[in-house]
Amino acid sequence: MHPSEVLFQGKRQPLLLPACDHYAGTEKLMRKSMALQQELGPLFDITFDCEDGAPTGGEAEHAALVASFINSDDNRFNRIGARLHEPASEHFASDVATIVGGAAARLAYVVLPKVAGVHEVRRAIDLINQHAGSRTDLPVHVLIETHGALREAYDIAALPQVECLSFGIMDFVSSHYGAIPASAMRTPGQFTHPLVVRAKLEMVAACHAHGKVASHNVTTDIKDSAVVANDAQRAGAEFGFNRMWSIHPDQIKPILKAFTPRLSEVNEATNILSEAMAADWGPIAQHGRLHDRASYRYYWSVLQRAKLAGLALPEAAAAIVNLPHAPDSH
């Protein structure tokens, strides 16, 4: 049996996505982000933004531009998604018709902002599926930035087509009308204010309960890469996020580095999993510590994240993650 089948016993493995989600709203920035993705490879996703990117009065033209870029040769890896207008917007149905209807085959995902709760997400997914043609599993990402969405984050994460929840800190803080200070939109307040901490933790817990990806909010400081690096490190290590937004090209590499397993972790995972395979996945003892399938699942995810991040894996690690599945597996 393949390690993933042994370790997860027929259960769905947790989803993995590139650790950085880079947002671009204008034509110039969309072209620039595609060129950067071609240079670096599919190590990060791009989200074309209709909600904040479309000029007032030019929403239809902007959606058409997004669809044309997604269908273009510049979308080399099919790792570009689109943030639509919120489902309550008069432009939402048009966005879906133009972008999903015109580019479903090559869309990586669509993002739904400002949803009020799970029922609105279900209705939005129904409309998306009506325009997706033969593609019945177009991934949907949902922004958690309203009180209703936070309250129902667990139910939203449970929807099969939803693969990622993203925390929208600025709208979330603003929705408290001054009860949360503006300082909570950035570090250190965003990691210490009780209401923001509670919101992040509840959203992340909902994601992990259903094997979905939890994406951290933006860092608005675009001049100091050390700030975004610190935010990404804290988001992952202290709050359990496994993905983060970028709003400037200079933020991409620090985010990727923060979420990529260190070589020491990769080596440790390789040694443990190699011994586990030799023991037919039974318990082992290494350096005086017991390991069994629970810890094997953890170390398996370390190697998967390292591979997704494009890390040059040691030969033994590459042999483990590239093991072929049995012919009848699925």
Side-chain angles (χ1 to χ4, degrees):
M1 293 178 69
H2 191 269
S4 63
E5 297 168 321
V6 174
L7 299 180
F8 293 93
Q9 295 291 314
K11 297 179 181 178
R12 182 178 182 179
Q13 291 188 62
L15 291 170
L16 285 172
L17 292 173
C20 182
D21 179 9
H22 179 63
Y23 269 67
T26 66
E27 179 176 356
K28 176 184 176 181
L29 295 178
M30 288 190 280
R31 290 186 185 277
K32 187 174 182 178
S33 63
M34 287 190 293
L36 187 59
Q37 192 184 59
Q38 290 170 18
E39 175 187 340
L40 298 179
L43 304 183
F44 68 96
D45 284 345
I46 300 169
T47 299
F48 289 157
D49 190 8
C50 292
E51 185 190 26
D52 292 333
T56 302
E59 291 84 1
E61 292 79 5
H62 188 79
L65 181 67
V66 166
S68 70
F69 280 166
I70 290 170
N71 283 327
S72 73
D73 292 339
D74 290 328
N75 182 12
R76 187 173 299 173
F77 308 105
N78 291 336
R79 290 306 312 171
I80 300 178
R83 178 166 73 168
L84 312 178
H85 282 85
E86 63 188 276
S89 167
E90 61 180 313
H91 305 294
F92 177 71
S94 174
D95 283 351
V96 172
T98 301
I99 297 172
V100 178
R106 301 191 60 194
L107 260 176
Y109 50 85
V110 293
V111 183
L112 304 178
K114 295 183 178 63
V115 299
V118 67
H119 296 299
E120 191 168 56
V121 176
R122 285 198 184 103
R123 289 195 300 269
I125 290 175
D126 286 343
L127 182 64
I128 288 165
N129 289 342
Q130 290 173 28
H131 288 274
S134 60
R135 188 170 184 188
T136 59
D137 60 348
L138 179 63
V140 173
H141 297 188
V142 180
L143 268 161
I144 304 300
E145 50 192 344
T146 68
H147 298 291
L150 178 63
R151 183 181 63 249
E152 299 180 357
Y154 195 94
D155 295 329
I156 294 171
L159 297 174
Q161 236 168 294
V162 171
E163 71 173 9
C164 175
L165 300 185
S166 294
F167 188 62
I169 192 168
M170 300 177 80
D171 278 289
F172 179 77
V173 170
S174 296
S175 71
H176 288 75
Y177 300 107
I180 300 177
S183 60
M185 295 184 188
R186 56 189 180 272
T187 300
Q190 66 164 324
F191 295 120
T192 58
H193 191 283
L195 284 174
V196 177
V197 169
R198 164 188 167 264
K200 289 185 177 184
L201 293 178
E202 289 193 6
M203 192 203 85
V204 171
C207 287
H208 292 304
H210 296 288
K212 307 300 176 69
V213 174
S215 185
H216 193 258
N217 52 268
V218 299
T219 293
T220 54
D221 188 333
I222 60 176
K223 292 184 178 180
D224 188 349
S225 61
V227 175
V228 72
N230 174 71
D231 286 355
Q233 194 278 329
R234 294 194 67 178
E238 299 177 26
F239 285 75
F241 286 92
N242 36 27
R243 181 171 163 98
M244 183 169 166
W245 294 21
S246 157
I247 54 171
H248 189 278
D250 290 346
Q251 294 183 334
I252 294 173
K253 288 184 178 179
I255 290 172
L256 291 176
K257 182 179 180 181
F259 283 97
T260 299
R262 302 295 179 259
L263 188 58
S264 59
E265 295 177 273
V266 172
N267 289 334
E268 181 183 28
T270 302
N271 293 335
I272 290 171
L273 293 176
S274 295
E275 282 197 33
M277 291 176 66
D280 292 326
W281 302 105
I284 64 168
Q286 191 174 94
H287 304 303
R289 293 177 179 170
L290 177 69
H291 294 283
D292 58 18
R293 293 191 184 188
S295 56
Y296 300 157
R297 282 191 288 271
Y298 170 83
Y299 290 110
W300 175 253
S301 72
V302 169
L303 294 190
Q304 295 301 312
R305 289 189 293 116
K307 180 182 178 183
L308 185 65
L311 198 65
L313 297 176
E315 186 176 336
I320 293 172
V321 297
N322 293 322
L323 281 170
H325 283 267
D328 61 344
S329 68
H330 57 277

